[in-house]
Amino acid sequence: MAKSIASEIIQKYEPIDEVRKAHQMSLEGFTRYMYSSECLLFSQECTKVYQDMTYPLNDYFISSSHNTYLISDQLVGPSDLWGYVSALVKGCRCLEIDCWDGSQDEPVVYHGYTLTSKLLFKTVIQAIRKYAFMTSEYPVVLSLENHCSPSQQEVMADILQTILGESLLSDFLDDFLDRLPSPEALKFKILVKNKKIGTLMETHERRGSDKHGKIEVWEEEEAEADEEDEESKELETRDSFLSRIIQEKEGKALGVTVFKKKKTRKLKIALALSDLVIYTKAEKFRSFQHSRLYQQFNENNSIGESQARKLSKLKVHDFIFHTRKFITRIYPKATRADSSNFNPQEFWNIGCQMVALNFQTPGLPMDLQNGKFLDNGGSGYILKPRFLRDIKSNFNPINATKDSDPITITIRVISGMQLPLNSLSSNKVDTLVTVEVYGVPNDHVRYQTRVIRKNAFSPRWNETFTFVIQVPELALLRFVVENSGYIASNEFLGQYTLPVLCMNKGYRRVPLFSRTGESLEPASLFIYVWYVR
């Protein structure tokens, strides 16, 4: 450390005049310094928006929630405005709203065909308007699961326009008629994601016209055995994928591409609501081939976790090619009635922009979600690594050692400070620390310290772990403090998760958070970190 920096630290944190004037530091001064933000493991650089925010929306990971209105399970739990408020305060940028016909011409929000309670659509939009840009100034996407009749869709459109006003994006931006705008271009804007009739230019030409009572029919394919599944019986190599791309282009030029005709259902869409959809048109996913040939730049797909997991294993090159061009949302499977979550990392690894989780459910998936989106100032938008944006990249998370730029990390877990206690004991907790890496499959590692008996106030481990991370751009580091169980499993005491590339070097303090994401200050770990690339 340079002498000038040391002097600056002494002047800033040393409380005793005589010691400060002697250019020294007392124990009290050192403690103040160690508990300051300057000594945190998380880099100060990453607490600000530092990434280039002028790329198109599809080039970013976007913090997204599933059934945002629920604060408990999916079947009988309450719907509450707090679901929206808490998600927005955490920097979430894509909220889900399930809309149904209500009494007295008032659309309601709830999980249809269940016993969950109902909210007025109007009050949901009012809450979103109030909190939308409290944490982040970048765009919010309202993902409408629309089950309303045309007349109540018109009510929804009127509510959106009246309450959101200028914040609502209701026309294309001048420079973005045929391409997605950037988060920067959409600052302080709220976008509607829903089914849409017609083109952006047709929407533009209808601006200001009376749309009352104007209804269009939307044809949507019935859910059958997925076309993609029929194509995906065996693992595809990158060479066979590229060969098929060339064949598709040649076939399209000759006009000979044929898709099997499927059963369709007809839905009535109010033009007033349809015209509020600009850059986030909901489009049913048919197959990667169909998307490559016909999907428009402003059309987004939502894919269930089970189908997405199957496709990510059998057609990983197809999937990554798809997410380079189109915003793709992944949502939990219907059987997760308890609002449990899947591991989002597997879908970030293939470039899926909106990996929607149940924010109300604590655990590993939400720890990873909260840790990842600490980056870039907690703005809810993180620029995807170049290899997930570049159309020429050969990246495959299953075999990511090729062309990677690995990082070697050494972490010494030195000690703990005032670790959280369980409800049954005082200081008699047997503490241990687990250090985990989540990223591409080959980077997943887990190390564990020995157990320190009956000491939660100041346990000392002084254990060192060294590991190589092949794809640090996608990797998250997680520290978990537990109470060792003799018979039962270990008891969770606290955790901290952050992106690997947001770590400071040197002696650092790791703050701990509860299972529900609340700060447990002053509980923390004291560690030493070094890495080389």
Side-chain angles (χ1 to χ4, degrees):
M1 182 183 289
K3 193 173 182 179
S4 60
I5 297 174
S7 180
E8 192 177 306
I9 291 170
I10 290 169
Q11 291 301 314
K12 190 172 181 180
Y13 295 104
E14 178 51 56
I16 303 170
D17 285 343
E18 307 89 81
V19 178
R20 188 169 62 249
K21 287 173 182 175
H23 301 289
Q24 295 174 343
M25 186 173 257
S26 64
L27 180 61
E28 172 65 22
F30 181 71
T31 302
R32 289 188 179 193
Y33 172 58
M34 286 307 302
Y35 270 89
S36 73
S37 59
E38 290 184 50
C39 280
L40 288 173
L41 178 62
F42 189 70
S43 169
Q44 283 286 102
E45 167 96 355
C46 296
T47 63
K48 306 185 290 280
V49 175
Y50 67 95
Q51 295 177 348
D52 188 342
M53 302 300 281
T54 61
Y55 285 90
L57 283 177
N58 55 294
D59 280 348
Y60 295 83
F61 294 119
I62 303 170
S63 179
S64 305
S65 74
H66 172 252
N67 287 356
T68 318
Y69 49 90
L70 294 178
I71 58 170
S72 184
D73 64 77
Q74 305 281 311
L75 299 177
V76 297
S79 302
D80 199 296
L81 291 178
W82 177 245
Y84 291 100
V85 173
S86 61
L88 288 168
V89 167
K90 290 176 183 174
C92 182
R93 299 288 87 189
C94 180
L95 309 171
E96 186 171 17
I97 310 177
D98 278 20
C99 311
W100 298 80
D101 280 357
S103 59
Q104 299 178 323
D105 216 25
E106 282 278 10
V108 293
V109 175
Y110 83 112
H111 201 196
Y113 308 117
T114 69
L115 299 176
T116 57
S117 59
K118 298 174 182 178
L119 300 169
L120 287 179
F121 179 75
K122 178 168 60 180
T123 60
V124 168
I125 300 304
Q126 287 170 339
I128 290 170
R129 176 71 187 96
K130 184 175 181 180
Y131 291 94
F133 304 108
M134 186 168 283
T135 298
S136 170
E137 58 193 15
Y138 292 101
V140 172
V141 178
L142 305 184
S143 182
L144 303 185
E145 191 71 34
N146 180 15
H147 305 275
C148 289
S149 62
S151 63
Q152 294 212 15
Q153 288 178 39
E154 289 190 352
V155 176
M156 288 168 59
D158 184 59
I159 288 170
L160 288 165
Q161 290 172 303
T162 303
I163 295 174
L164 299 180
E166 289 297 310
S167 296
L168 180 67
L169 186 77
S170 56
D171 196 7
F172 63 80
L173 303 182
D174 288 343
D175 296 330
F176 299 97
L177 176 58
D178 56 1
R179 59 194 176 101
L180 288 179
S182 66
E184 186 69 27
L186 291 168
K187 268 186 177 178
F188 300 110
K189 288 295 183 185
I190 296 176
L191 286 68
V192 174
K193 179 175 177 285
N194 190 37
K195 295 175 176 64
K196 179 176 181 64
I197 302 294
T199 66
L200 288 181
M201 186 54 74
E202 288 168 346
T203 296
H204 178 73
E205 290 168 354
R206 283 193 293 264
R207 274 181 69 81
S209 65
D210 181 14
K211 299 166 190 171
H212 180 69
K214 292 186 178 178
I215 300 165
E216 299 280 348
V217 175
W218 169 281
E219 285 198 12
E220 183 174 77
E221 292 174 354
E222 295 276 8
E224 292 181 1
D226 290 297
E227 185 175 328
E228 198 67 52
D229 288 347
E230 293 170 17
E231 298 173 1
S232 309
K233 298 303 181 187
E234 54 186 60
L235 202 65
E236 182 172 61
T237 66
R238 178 161 179 82
D239 288 343
S240 60
F241 163 68
L242 292 174
S243 173
R244 196 154 48 77
I245 292 283
I246 294 168
Q247 290 173 2
E248 283 172 11
K249 287 181 177 177
E250 290 172 351
K252 190 176 183 182
L254 294 170
V256 295
T257 304
V258 177
F259 286 93
K260 185 177 71 176
K261 185 69 176 174
K262 290 188 178 183
K263 292 180 183 177
T264 60
R265 60 173 180 155
K266 294 181 179 180
L267 305 171
K268 291 181 179 178
I269 307 291
L271 203 60
L273 184 60
S274 168
D275 279 358
L276 297 183
V277 178
I278 306 299
Y279 295 117
T280 44
K281 176 185 176 183
E283 185 69 21
K284 183 178 175 65
F285 178 73
R286 285 183 58 179
S287 71
F288 291 131
Q289 182 187 20
H290 186 275
S291 294
R292 283 193 295 272
L293 294 174
Y294 301 114
Q295 191 161 327
Q296 301 300 305
F297 76 99
N298 66 327
E299 294 178 340
N300 313 157
N301 304 124
S302 287
I303 308 175
E305 65 164 296
S306 299
Q307 184 188 10
R309 186 172 293 116
K310 183 188 293 184
L311 292 172
S312 71
K313 291 175 180 174
L314 293 173
K315 294 208 156 196
V316 64
H317 298 295
D318 261 317
F319 214 143
I320 293 174
F321 188 88
H322 182 82
T323 59
R324 286 187 183 119
K325 296 181 68 177
F326 306 113
I327 293 176
T328 305
R329 177 177 172 270
I330 309 298
Y331 59 91
K333 58 188 176 183
T335 53
R336 293 186 182 273
D338 59 351
S339 295
S340 61
N341 284 311
F342 53 83
N343 184 336
Q345 188 67 51
E346 61 181 314
F347 301 116
W348 290 330
N349 287 345
I350 53 175
C352 296
Q353 294 86 349
M354 296 178 172
V355 181
L357 297 181
N358 293 305
F359 271 44
Q360 73 272 32
T361 306
L364 171 65
M366 276 307 297
D367 290 346
L368 298 180
Q369 158 77 22
N370 293 334
K372 185 175 187 68
F373 285 98
L374 282 175
D375 199 1
N376 205 31
S379 63
Y381 285 84
I382 296 174
L383 185 63
K384 294 199 290 185
R386 183 178 296 277
F387 52 76
L388 287 174
R389 293 182 280 123
D390 185 358
I391 215 81
K392 297 177 182 176
S393 169
N394 296 328
F395 179 74
N396 179 352
I398 309 300
N399 183 22
T401 53
K402 296 177 182 177
D403 304 319
S404 67
D405 188 9
I407 187 171
T408 301
I409 298 177
T410 296
I411 292 179
R412 177 150 54 103
V413 180
I414 300 170
S415 62
M417 295 172 275
Q418 300 182 55
L419 299 182
L421 303 171
N422 62 24
S423 56
L424 301 176
S425 62
S426 53
N427 188 35
K428 297 176 180 178
V429 175
D430 300 332
T431 53
L432 62 94
V433 179
T434 302
V435 182
E436 303 171 302
V437 176
Y438 290 87
V440 299
N442 286 342
D443 281 342
H444 183 63
V445 293
R446 186 173 187 271
Y447 296 98
Q448 190 171 290
T449 66
R450 69 187 188 281
V451 176
I452 302 297
R453 301 291 178 193
K454 296 180 172 38
N455 186 354
F457 187 74
S458 58
R460 297 182 185 181
W461 296 279
N462 211 30
E463 293 186 43
T464 302
F465 309 113
T466 299
F467 41 92
V468 177
I469 299 177
Q470 296 294 335
V471 189
E473 295 87 351
L474 291 172
L476 298 169
L477 189 67
R478 183 171 185 251
F479 296 86
V480 184
V481 180
E482 295 176 306
N483 176 24
S484 177
Y486 292 104
I487 301 172
S489 57
N490 293 347
E491 178 190 14
F492 175 93
L493 296 178
Q495 70 86 33
Y496 185 68
T497 307
L498 80 165
V500 162
L501 295 183
C502 286
M503 286 196 305
N504 279 316
K505 290 181 177 179
Y507 290 96
R508 296 292 165 181
R509 187 171 64 89
V510 180
L512 294 177
F513 289 80
S514 71
R515 189 179 292 280
T516 55
E518 295 159 344
S519 173
L520 295 171
E521 288 281 10
S524 53
L525 298 174
F526 185 46
I527 68 170
Y528 176 80
V529 179
W530 200 256
Y531 52 86
V532 290
R533 197 166 187 181

